[in-house]
Amino acid sequence: MELLERARVEWFAVAVGLMVGTSMVFVPYEFGSTLFQYIYPHVRLLGSLFLVGAGLMLIALMYPAWPSFVGWTGRALVLAAVAVYWWAVCILPVSLTGTVVYLFLMVLLVMEPRTLRRGQGQLLVFLACVALCFGPLMLWAPQDFVRFALASIGPYVRWVGVLFLLLGTLLAVGLWRREPLSCRVALGGLSLLFLHMTVAVVSRRSWSGMSVYAVLTAVCVLLAGVRRWPVLVGVRWRLFRGMALASVLPILGVGAVASYLAQKALEAELHGKTRQTVAAESAWLEQTAAMASSMLQVYSQGPAFIAQVRAGNREGIRERLAMLEGPSGLFDAAWLLDETGDTLMTSARFNRVQGNFAYRAYFQEAMKGGARVLLSRPFLSRANLPFVVITVPMDLGAGRRTFLVGALSLERLGLQPALASPDYHVEIFDRRDGSLLRETDRGSVLARAPALDLVGADALTRPQGLTEAFDGSGHRLVVAHAQVAGTPWTVVVTARLRESFAPVTRMGAWVVAIALLAGALSLVLSHWVGRDVAQRLETLRDGFAVLGTPSLERRVPARGDDEIAQLALGFNDMAARIDRTQKELREAIAIRDQFLSMASHELRTPLTPLKATLDLLVRQLGAGQGMNPERQRDTIARLNRQVDRLTRLIGDMLDVSRLQSGRFTLTVAPMDVAALAREVVERIQVTRPERAAQLSLELPTSPLVGRWDEQRLDQLLTNLVENALRYSPPGTPVVVRVFEEADAVRVEVEDRGIGIPAESLSQLFTPFFRARNAAEHYAGGLGLGLAICREIVERHGGRIGARSDGPGKGTCFTVWLPRAAVSDAA
């Protein structure tokens, strides 16, 4: 029972709001009957209010963590829309069913937030109240239910009322006693009654009633059959609500905009076509009346015809009249009357009927009208045929007058093909007495024009206009009218909105159907996708669980090409990066250990002889022993070499520190690189006399002046030459060459030493890197010199490279330097 008590009326309000709002927005012309006459001008706005309010309520129900004002705003909008609809559609036109349903919906929608705090919804209370009210109303006023909703059940309305009363009582008692079986039986019976009402309302094409009763039917079936509410948590529920909202709402939104634009376009087209039809019909009538009047006026003023009438030439008069009413003539009949109304010449079309027609209105008006051409009111001839006549007075002289009369048959006028579309209704009536001259649907004439009762005579007094009205069956019409110039006639064209906008209605129905299908598909897909996503997320979870353990070789399988697959690939890539980072860290630690070992060894190497020599000097000084000058110079030279070695090692380490901290800068000035190369070579030859013979220099004849950092270039050349000597056997040549190129200088240092393996060339300028054969052929150093050389060259905007044919085949280092350092040029 607790399951049924938790059913909330909010869900019913959301469903009704969405369905009623959708129908108002997509098919507003289905609300054109007299029942909706008060809301019809604003039906789209009211439908938008329903849709927005229901949408916000739905979002609040599906996303409880959102701010509470979202749900309250949606509830307020739905209540406002229901209140307007209830008053304008149910109270004013007196619709009993709508009055009951919407009244209880508003009341319980306001009360439900309080009861929800106790975990109780108001949906069952709402259904019980509706059933208990429908029953007595059907017993008390069955005719109202037949009129508004249940035309299909006719005389059985009272029996249906009894069923509503019994089932409503059973539901109320079951709810009071908390008996779920009684509630489910009552809900099952109510679902059948509401289904019957839905079918009945569908037959009357009432979209709002169909929406309400269809939702009532679905709610009763759902509550009668449900045994437990679904748990709306987890990935599957999140996917479902996201997919449902993302699939249904955009389709409804885009469809609503497209439907609105199509409706406005069709509305403008319909108004334009009705105006064009009215204009065409009035122009045709105006032309016909003008031609008939002109023809009679020409005849009445013809001298020959006047002479024949004055002389009483009956044969001539008959021939003239025969020309007016002949097969090629414009008139259906023509005759001639004297001043007293007696027939001077009868019409062959009227079987030569003679007599006095002074009682006819057209004769009396002609007697008063002077010389004007007069168009009569429609009338029935003696043969009971509808006619309208044009009368023209003829002046015979000497104060005598006769009257030429031409008659137009309204029956023949009604047989003329209408210029309007077959879907349009065309009327032509005489404004003087409202007599109908022509009607395309029924063909009746001389009766009162229906348009006068449809829109009122006052609305048709204007020369032209366009308005909307309701016909006798309560359907909305577009009515356009125009007065025929030069005549007392008015043309009225009417078109039904429902038939005219049937294509838009079908389009709206398809959009709604597609949106519902998308929602159903989202429910199925969310279950399938949710299960797949859940499994894959569990795999990712397991992968993250072992990410910090030694079991890093485990990878998550990436199936498909969606975001989760990309997440799995990202996880695998992250794991691989962690592996690489750990390997790099291990390598960095190994390099650090190697560097510390090398640095300690390299620093100890000069320190050991320094300490030994200093100890020897201290002992000799303590013993009072002297040292000859030659030996003293050798000792000091050895000490100086070891100090230089220490200085060079510390300088390299300081340079690497400056490189890593970004404090390695240049101080450029004009200098001669050829002179610098000569100075470096001579200095090395002096400091290393044992290698002086194998070191040679090749320079151009002219100076090579540019803007460089002289101290750093000195360091560069010294490192390259020292390396060449260090890794070259004694007696093998080491050549330093300086060349001039376009806007640059090229320096080469070539030796015939141990060479470099091909696999080591790409890493040769990496800090702390030493080629395999260089490590085997120990010659000292930390592996920093070439890295510093590359940094010096690149800071000058140049480049450095090395080439070697392999181990034992020597090496050539080449440096390209622009004439102006990059930092200086900038």
Side-chain angles (χ1 to χ4, degrees):
M1 188 61 194
E2 183 180 356
L3 178 69
L4 296 176
E5 289 178 342
R6 291 206 310 267
R8 300 161 66 170
V9 77
E10 286 180 321
W11 288 102
F12 175 80
V14 167
V16 170
L18 289 176
M19 295 188 67
V20 174
T22 300
S23 60
M24 286 183 175
V25 171
F26 282 89
V27 284
Y29 294 100
E30 294 296 329
F31 294 83
S33 63
T34 53
L35 182 64
F36 304 100
Q37 57 182 318
Y38 300 107
I39 68 167
Y40 179 76
H42 314 289
V43 65
R44 287 195 186 95
L45 178 61
L46 186 60
S48 301
L49 198 63
F50 268 113
L51 279 180
V52 174
L56 291 176
M57 287 183 64
L58 181 62
I59 292 174
L61 290 171
M62 298 178 74
Y63 293 90
W66 279 35
S68 59
F69 75 86
V70 175
W72 284 105
T73 303
R75 187 188 300 269
L77 293 177
V78 169
L79 283 172
V82 171
V84 172
Y85 187 88
W86 173 71
W87 181 260
V89 178
C90 303
I91 298 298
L92 295 180
V94 189
S95 172
L96 296 180
T97 55
T99 300
V100 170
V101 172
Y102 293 110
L103 177 62
F104 283 119
L105 178 60
M106 289 187 292
V107 172
L108 294 177
L109 199 58
V110 172
M111 294 176 56
E112 191 174 53
R114 297 181 180 179
T115 61
L116 286 177
R117 298 170 187 172
R118 303 191 302 269
Q120 294 180 353
Q122 296 295 313
L123 188 54
L124 285 183
V125 176
F126 170 75
L127 294 174
C129 292
V130 169
L132 289 174
C133 287
F134 273 16
L137 288 175
M138 289 181 179
L139 294 174
W140 174 54
Q143 68 280 358
D144 293 330
F145 283 84
V146 172
R147 177 185 176 188
F148 287 112
L150 303 176
S152 61
I153 61 176
Y156 304 105
V157 173
R158 284 192 171 90
W159 289 106
V160 174
V162 171
L163 291 177
F164 264 116
L165 187 59
L166 292 176
L167 292 174
T169 303
L170 180 62
L171 179 59
V173 171
L175 186 60
W176 177 52
R177 293 186 176 181
R178 300 177 58 84
E179 295 178 354
L181 181 59
S182 301
C183 293
R184 295 184 190 279
V185 172
L187 289 170
L190 289 175
S191 66
L192 296 177
L193 295 180
F194 285 133
L195 177 62
H196 197 106
M197 296 178 73
T198 304
V199 175
V201 173
V202 168
S203 65
R204 298 179 64 88
R205 301 184 67 177
S206 174
W207 289 71
S208 58
M210 177 193 68
S211 303
V212 173
Y213 294 132
V215 174
L216 284 171
T217 303
V219 165
C220 290
V221 171
L222 182 63
L223 293 178
V226 71
R227 291 296 180 268
R228 63 182 182 89
W229 295 113
V231 180
L232 304 181
V233 294
V235 175
R236 299 185 186 183
W237 164 240
R238 292 176 179 270
L239 285 174
F240 166 70
R241 68 187 183 187
M243 293 173 65
L245 293 177
S247 59
V248 175
L249 292 184
I251 294 175
L252 289 178
V254 174
V257 173
S259 177
Y260 172 75
L261 295 177
Q263 289 163 8
K264 298 301 289 184
L266 280 180
E267 185 175 346
E269 182 181 4
L270 177 62
H271 290 175
K273 284 184 176 181
T274 53
R275 286 194 176 97
Q276 292 173 6
T277 301
V278 167
E281 291 283 347
S282 61
W284 173 71
L285 289 172
E286 180 183 354
Q287 182 181 7
T288 301
M291 288 177 60
S293 299
S294 299
M295 183 175 292
L296 282 184
Q297 201 165 20
V298 168
Y299 266 71
S300 65
Q301 295 175 359
F305 187 48
I306 292 174
Q308 290 175 352
V309 174
R310 187 184 297 123
N313 186 353
R314 299 184 62 81
E315 190 62 30
I317 296 173
R318 184 180 294 110
E319 289 179 359
R320 292 280 184 169
L321 295 181
M323 293 175 63
L324 288 174
E325 62 182 13
S328 59
L330 184 62
F331 295 95
D332 296 283
W335 60 91
L336 194 64
L337 301 178
D338 62 12
E339 290 182 315
T340 62
D342 290 330
T343 305
L344 296 178
M345 181 57 64
T346 61
S347 171
R349 295 287 181 89
F350 288 165
N351 298 321
R352 305 297 179 184
V353 174
Q354 297 189 8
N356 186 280
F357 295 97
Y359 65 91
R360 290 293 190 183
Y362 65 83
F363 178 78
Q364 296 173 5
E365 292 173 357
M367 289 291 293
K368 303 174 184 177
R372 291 187 300 110
V373 179
L374 299 175
L375 184 61
S376 74
R377 292 181 176 88
F379 64 94
L380 289 175
S381 68
R382 289 183 177 180
N384 206 30
L385 297 176
F387 277 91
V388 62
V389 301
I390 299 175
T391 307
V392 180
M394 293 177 59
D395 189 2
L396 301 180
R400 295 177 56 201
R401 286 196 308 172
T402 58
F403 299 93
L404 180 61
V405 183
L408 299 174
S409 173
L410 295 182
E411 288 185 350
R412 186 166 70 89
L413 184 65
L415 296 176
Q416 293 291 330
L419 302 177
S421 169
D423 296 332
Y424 295 172
H425 174 72
V426 180
E427 298 178 20
I428 304 170
F429 68 91
D430 194 308
R431 294 191 298 276
R432 291 171 292 189
D433 56 3
S435 299
L436 191 63
L437 303 178
R438 179 185 180 190
E439 187 179 19
T440 54
D441 286 353
R442 295 181 290 274
S444 59
V445 294
L446 300 185
R448 179 175 171 83
L452 294 173
D453 299 326
L454 189 65
V455 297
D458 294 338
L460 300 177
T461 56
R462 298 190 300 271
Q464 61 181 4
L466 182 72
T467 186
E468 293 186 6
F470 292 98
D471 62 6
S473 58
H475 297 108
R476 185 167 286 270
L477 306 173
V478 173
V479 182
H481 76 277
Q483 296 179 0
V484 181
T487 70
W489 298 343
T490 296
V491 178
V492 180
V493 176
T494 60
R496 283 191 175 187
L497 287 177
R498 174 174 287 179
E499 284 74 10
S500 300
F501 288 90
V504 179
T505 301
R506 287 193 294 269
M507 183 192 74
W510 275 109
V511 171
V512 174
I514 291 172
L516 293 177
L517 180 61
L521 288 177
S522 67
L523 178 62
V524 176
L525 291 176
S526 64
H527 177 72
W528 176 73
V529 174
R531 181 177 57 186
D532 179 66
V533 169
Q535 293 175 352
R536 294 158 72 181
L537 289 178
E538 290 173 358
T539 306
L540 275 174
R541 181 195 60 194
D542 297 339
F544 276 106
V546 300
L547 189 60
T549 65
S551 179
L552 291 177
E553 296 300 325
R554 180 172 180 176
R555 295 294 182 264
V556 176
R559 302 191 305 270
D561 57 354
D562 54 9
E563 287 79 1
I564 297 182
Q566 295 172 5
L567 180 62
L569 291 174
F571 172 81
N572 293 334
D573 183 61
M574 179 184 65
R577 288 199 304 271
I578 291 175
D579 288 344
R580 289 195 301 269
T581 302
Q582 289 183 343
K583 291 178 181 178
E584 291 173 358
L585 287 174
R586 287 193 293 268
E587 292 175 358
I589 292 172
I591 292 173
R592 183 200 63 183
D593 294 341
Q594 181 183 3
F595 168 73
L596 292 176
S597 175
M598 291 171 56
S600 61
H601 178 75
E602 290 295 328
L603 291 174
R604 188 183 299 112
T605 299
L607 286 175
T608 300
L610 271 174
K611 188 176 186 307
T613 303
L614 290 174
D615 288 342
L616 178 61
L617 289 175
V618 170
R619 284 196 303 270
Q620 288 178 349
L621 291 174
Q625 297 177 357
M627 185 180 295
N628 60 57
E630 184 67 25
R631 188 174 180 182
Q632 187 177 8
R633 282 194 300 272
D634 291 340
T635 301
I636 293 174
R638 286 196 304 272
L639 290 174
N640 190 42
R641 284 196 297 272
Q642 299 304 328
V643 171
D644 288 342
R645 186 173 182 180
L646 280 173
T647 302
R648 187 168 58 252
L649 290 173
I650 295 172
D652 288 347
M653 288 188 287
L654 288 175
D655 285 340
V656 170
S657 175
R658 292 191 188 100
L659 289 177
Q660 294 176 348
S661 62
R663 294 182 291 106
F664 193 89
T665 59
L666 301 180
T667 303
V668 298
M671 59 163 291
D672 183 2
V673 73
L676 177 64
R678 184 182 297 108
E679 179 184 345
V680 170
V681 170
E682 289 176 354
R683 183 176 65 245
I684 294 176
Q685 286 176 338
V686 171
T687 56
R688 302 187 66 176
E690 71 280 5
R691 293 293 187 102
Q694 69 182 103
L695 183 60
S696 61
L697 177 65
E698 297 180 6
L699 297 175
T701 57
S702 59
L704 297 179
V705 180
R707 294 184 61 83
W708 300 293
D709 188 327
E710 183 174 1
Q711 181 181 355
R712 292 301 180 184
L713 291 188
D714 187 302
Q715 182 181 2
L716 167 70
L717 293 175
T718 302
N719 276 339
L720 293 179
V721 174
E722 290 286 356
N723 276 348
L725 293 174
R726 184 180 300 118
Y727 295 107
S728 297
T732 58
V734 174
V735 183
V736 178
R737 304 184 185 93
V738 180
F739 302 94
E740 181 179 10
E741 296 185 351
D743 297 329
V745 172
R746 176 163 56 90
V747 179
E748 292 182 354
V749 178
E750 184 177 4
D751 62 64
R752 295 290 184 269
I754 63 174
I756 301 173
E759 67 273 9
S760 299
L761 285 173
S762 60
Q763 297 178 291
L764 194 61
F765 298 96
T766 303
F768 309 115
F769 177 79
R770 302 183 70 187
R772 173 176 46 80
N773 58 344
E776 295 172 354
H777 180 81
Y778 178 73
L782 298 175
L784 299 175
L786 291 180
I788 296 172
C789 289
R790 183 188 66 178
E791 188 68 24
I792 292 173
V793 172
E794 290 181 351
R795 290 295 179 96
H796 280 85
R799 64 184 187 275
I800 186 172
R803 67 177 186 273
S804 176
D805 294 332
K809 297 183 179 181
T811 306
C812 180
F813 287 89
T814 304
V815 176
W816 289 271
L817 293 173
R819 285 297 183 102
V822 171
S823 60
D824 181 62

